[in-house]
Amino acid sequence: MTARAKELIWRFGVIAGIRKALRQMTDTHEPELLETLPGRAPAVLPGGARVASVFIDWDVNPVIVDEAKLLEHVRATRPDEVIEVVRPSYLRYLLQEAVRNGEEPPGVLLRDTYTVTTSLARGALENITRALEDGEVRFSDLLTPPDDDSMPPVAAATS
């Protein structure tokens, strides 16, 4: 095995560990974040360096839960839009209208969805690296889902 392959393998291994830790932290703490996040908030290292912005984007998405009922509905109301299945362009229109009107056609469920988005600030990776090198933050602090007693002190959020 080449040195390059070995390097790629350990990098993929570390990234897999980080992904697992992020999933655990998300599963554990996202409900709390959803209740308390005031729209958009800066992510600030304990020393005060801003590294990102975090915000929640709420949306309503239709989910087809009974395709047979939906097909029956379209056959009854717009038979010209039915081929073997509902014509894709009309299905998109029908689902968009469901969201716009807040009305669920038979076989469709409107479901609130959200996305928690983090956008890195300029220089974020350098600030995080410096914080890790200076001991301001430990790598284990980043990978372990925090409980109330293990949270490191965080500097006041700055705009």
Side-chain angles (χ1 to χ4, degrees):
M1 184 179 311
T2 67
R4 173 83 172 146
K6 288 179 182 176
E7 179 183 348
L8 289 173
I9 289 168
W10 75 256
R11 286 176 187 252
F12 274 85
V14 169
I15 290 168
I18 292 170
R19 283 183 178 153
K20 181 177 181 180
L22 288 173
R23 278 192 306 275
Q24 289 172 342
M25 198 163 104
T26 298
D27 292 346
T28 303
H29 297 286
E30 194 169 62
E32 177 185 352
L33 186 63
L34 292 174
E35 290 176 7
T36 60
L37 187 66
R40 178 183 295 267
V44 181
L45 289 170
R50 183 175 172 273
V51 294
S53 290
V54 178
F55 63 96
I56 298 174
D57 182 20
W58 288 93
D59 205 356
V60 175
N61 290 301
V63 178
I64 298 172
V65 294
D66 189 334
E67 198 166 328
K69 282 185 180 179
L70 178 62
L71 184 57
E72 182 181 318
H73 166 73
V74 175
R75 271 197 183 115
T77 60
R78 291 290 302 271
D80 56 314
E81 295 294 345
V82 177
I83 30 183
E84 290 284 326
V85 294
V86 177
R87 183 178 297 157
S89 61
Y90 183 69
L91 181 58
R92 278 191 303 278
Y93 166 79
L94 186 65
L95 297 177
Q96 289 170 350
E97 286 296 298
V99 170
R100 191 171 66 79
N101 297 327
E103 296 176 10
E104 299 171 340
V108 175
L109 174 68
L110 292 177
R111 178 174 69 186
D112 287 334
T113 59
Y114 61 89
T115 304
V116 176
T117 305
T118 302
S119 57
L120 289 177
R122 186 171 300 171
L125 296 178
E126 293 84 359
N127 286 333
I128 293 167
T129 300
R130 191 175 311 106
L132 288 165
E133 289 171 347
D134 295 346
E136 177 184 335
V137 175
R138 295 177 310 167
F139 196 67
S140 61
D141 293 338
L142 303 175
L143 295 180
T144 306
D147 57 30
D148 291 338
D149 297 331
S150 71
M151 292 292 291
V154 176
T158 57
S159 307

